[in-house]
Amino acid sequence: MIYQIYPRSFQDSDADGVGDLAGIELRLDYLAGLGIDAIWLSPIYPSPMADFGYDVADFCGIDAMFGDLAGFDRLLAAVHNRGLRLLLDFVPNHSSDQHPWFVESRGSRDNPKRDWYIWRDPAPDGGPPNNWISDFGGSSWEWDETTGQYYLHAFLASQPDLNWRKPELREAMVTVLRFWLDRGVDGFRIDVLWHIIKAEGLPDNPINTHWTPDCTQRDRLVQVYSTDQPEAHAISAEFRALADRYGDRVLIGEICLPNDRHARWYGTPDRLQVHLPFNFQLIENAWDAASLRRMIAAYEASLPAFGWPNWVIGSHDAPRIAARIGETQARVAAMLLLTLRGTPTMYQGDEIGIGEVKISPDRVRDPQDLRQPGLGIGRDRSRTPIPWNASAYAGFSTVEPWLPLNEDWRERNFEIQDRDSNSLLSLYRSLLALRRSHDALAIGDFKLVDAAEDVLAYQRRHAGECLLIALNLSDAMRTLMLPTDTCVEEVLASTLPPSTWALRPLDAALAPNEGLLLRLKEKH
Ligand code: GLC
Ligand code: MG
């Protein structure tokens, strides 16, 4: 299990209202106790914070707000001491406009770093060089008065895209990876990897004929020429070769593409790419048994034979799972995430079921939301500080945090859920423990099986053990269908509070909103 920490909102240790590395260190015992394997940290590098760290001004440093390199080394050692792994967020597509490389690049047309970024003359009418639209809205091109050219930015104008066709830039970025690998980090989550290189000649992207005004501006076009280029796969293979030279390191790619194109990011057996192209389909898919079943089958079928699956249920970009499907189904989602085949990734705060957090207009910080208001795409609601206890500012800080807390923090916090064996946190902990003690869950085969309407059911098998997972996505009773010639040997877990299921008959039906994890045996 990979656990994503959004450092600004995990734990503040120096009373500035923003989380930091020393804060994370204070909470490591909690993470180890939860039963996770690895921590992925969203960016901690020096940054003007226009996109809250995804605008990097120095790829080899630590922002003073988070700590310093010595503090990072301390955190890394502390993580390793607990038998956990630490992954960093590598942001190769762009830098901050404050990065010394870009300051040089925009200095003059003949600066040696000029084409470390993507500069073009205006179109004949003086407008932008092509029709590309930034993921955060508006043109992807920013006019630079001093040198009389436009530069490309897939995100904010203060996040200029790097030019991966330039060998010197490539080398400089590989040096960045080495810097952290040499320090002992266990791998990287690679930000917007499928964006990393653009089609030669930068042709206009085709118009998306399905666009409607409730879509984002970016979706007016299909990103045919600005993303998923063959050369990007070659770069990804280079990253992998480097990671493999270090041994026992993992690369995760942020890749948002349909299955067939997504699967190509695994590479081929003789030219591997990332270990795990992040799979966001649990976030995107409708929450009903029939379509989840279709989605899971299609994803499993799309994987190359050597490709290990993975599942993500939340992130600093996505709406909170408990806000989307409600608190009861969030328990079912936890069981689904932790019993599917493949590496699960969860996002801080989802284990206590933080739901919808209303951000008043005066507190909105997300640049994507500020630039495209009214679409309901704000990311701040998933980035609110973690409530640890019921003391002032929820134990996150001793001052007003940078974003508001979830309104119910006095009742919904770690301390309360830690003591309550019926809590979502306790469910996560026990499911993670079961994943450790049952190889069928960790590495077993996976097979979807027949089930009653509104029920998603599958088997996991390994070395003679056969587990059945049956998830009732409706709020009515459902029959529990067992595979022919089997009966239930043991109920390993239910998503219902333990106080209500511990004494259930083995062959009982599924209660409303219940997920069950069962060990089966053959009937003789
Ligand atoms: C990724 C990050 C997101 C960021 C964007 C630009 O999608 O997850 O938070 O804004 O890249 O770096
Ligand atoms: Mg702080």
Side-chain angles (χ1 to χ4, degrees), residues 11-20 65-66:
Q11 174 70 61
D12 180 20
S13 74
D14 60 356
D16 63 353
V18 180
D20 41 60
M65 179 184 283
F66 295 128

Side-chain angles (χ1 to χ4, degrees), residues 32-51:
L34 182 57
I36 66 160
D37 300 286
I39 297 165
W40 146 38
L41 293 184
S42 276
I44 49 175
Y45 317 110
S47 165
M49 300 285 162
D51 191 20

Side-chain angles (χ1 to χ4, degrees), residues 103-423:
V103 174
E104 279 190 52
S105 183
R106 79 184 327 174
S108 71
R109 286 201 188 197
D110 54 12
N111 186 283
K113 295 219 167 51
R114 181 67 170 179
D115 47 8
W116 284 36
Y117 294 84
I118 301 170
W119 292 94
R120 288 293 182 277
D121 288 333
D125 67 356
N130 69 17
N131 72 348
W132 294 3
I133 297 173
S134 149
D135 275 31
F136 290 163
S139 169
S140 285
W141 294 94
E142 181 76 3
W143 175 249
D144 179 59
E145 200 57 61
T146 327
T147 56
Q149 278 190 316
Y150 282 93
Y151 66 85
L152 182 73
H153 58 92
F155 297 91
L156 296 175
S158 54
Q159 292 168 294
D161 278 34
L162 289 159
N163 179 12
W164 280 80
R165 295 190 184 278
K166 181 80 179 164
E168 289 84 349
L169 176 274
R170 261 164 117 126
E171 258 167 55
M173 290 303 269
V174 168
T175 307
V176 169
L177 289 174
R178 284 220 180 84
F179 174 85
W180 294 109
L181 290 167
D182 288 337
R183 277 198 124 73
V185 310
D186 298 292
F188 302 93
R189 173 267 191 184
I190 308 176
D191 189 63
V192 294
L193 178 57
W194 85 114
H195 273 263
I196 199 170
I197 205 162
K198 337 292 164 190
E200 201 82 72
L202 311 178
D204 276 354
N205 274 326
I207 308 290
N208 174 8
T209 51
H210 302 292
W211 187 84
T212 52
D214 56 347
C215 299
T216 61
Q217 295 179 31
R218 169 198 58 200
D219 291 331
R220 280 174 180 272
L221 304 177
V222 191
Q223 296 185 321
V224 174
Y225 298 112
S226 47
T227 64
D228 200 28
Q229 298 302 302
E231 296 94 327
H233 289 271
I235 295 171
S236 159
E238 283 173 30
F239 291 163
R240 176 60 179 269
L242 175 71
D244 284 350
R245 283 202 287 283
Y246 281 81
D248 208 18
R249 312 288 168 115
V250 70
L251 296 182
I252 302 169
E254 186 195 10
I255 306 286
C256 301
L257 289 169
N259 278 336
D260 51 338
R261 290 167 61 188
H262 189 263
R264 289 188 215 155
W265 288 87
Y266 284 100
T268 52
D270 56 343
R271 201 145 191 254
L272 295 167
Q273 297 182 33
V274 293
H275 298 81
L276 304 173
F278 255 158
N279 166 20
F280 298 111
Q281 296 187 72
L282 287 178
I283 294 176
E284 293 151 2
N285 206 89
W287 200 255
D288 69 81
S291 76
L292 281 170
R293 183 189 167 99
R294 277 195 302 276
M295 178 276 284
I296 294 166
Y299 172 66
E300 278 274 351
S302 75
L303 298 171
F306 63 91
W308 181 246
N310 79 91
W311 298 95
V312 184
I313 202 118
S315 80
H316 64 297
D317 295 329
R320 287 269 181 203
I321 179 78
R324 189 161 77 85
I325 64 175
E327 195 164 353
T328 344
Q329 281 294 319
R331 298 176 72 97
V332 175
M335 183 172 277
L336 176 62
L337 176 73
L338 294 176
T339 56
L340 282 168
R341 189 176 80 100
T343 302
T345 298
M346 68 171 300
Y347 178 58
Q348 68 179 34
D350 281 346
E351 71 275 43
I352 56 166
I354 297 179
E356 193 65 56
V357 185
K358 291 207 178 48
I359 310 287
S360 58
D362 59 310
R363 295 211 61 179
V364 173
R365 304 287 300 273
D366 174 17
Q368 186 185 35
D369 200 18
L370 289 169
R371 289 167 57 91
Q372 299 182 83
L375 290 180
I377 54 171
R379 301 177 295 177
D380 294 323
R381 58 190 166 166
S382 309
R383 298 176 175 183
T384 57
I386 294 301
W388 293 100
N389 54 46
S391 68
Y393 305 113
F396 166 74
S397 181
T398 50
V399 300
E400 178 70 32
W402 74 288
L403 278 177
L405 291 155
N406 49 305
E407 288 99 84
D408 57 355
W409 62 271
R410 284 185 189 79
E411 304 82 49
R412 184 183 303 284
N413 61 56
F414 279 92
E415 201 174 281
I416 288 183
Q417 294 209 7
D418 189 45
R419 286 195 302 255
D420 176 4
S421 59
N422 290 336
S423 68

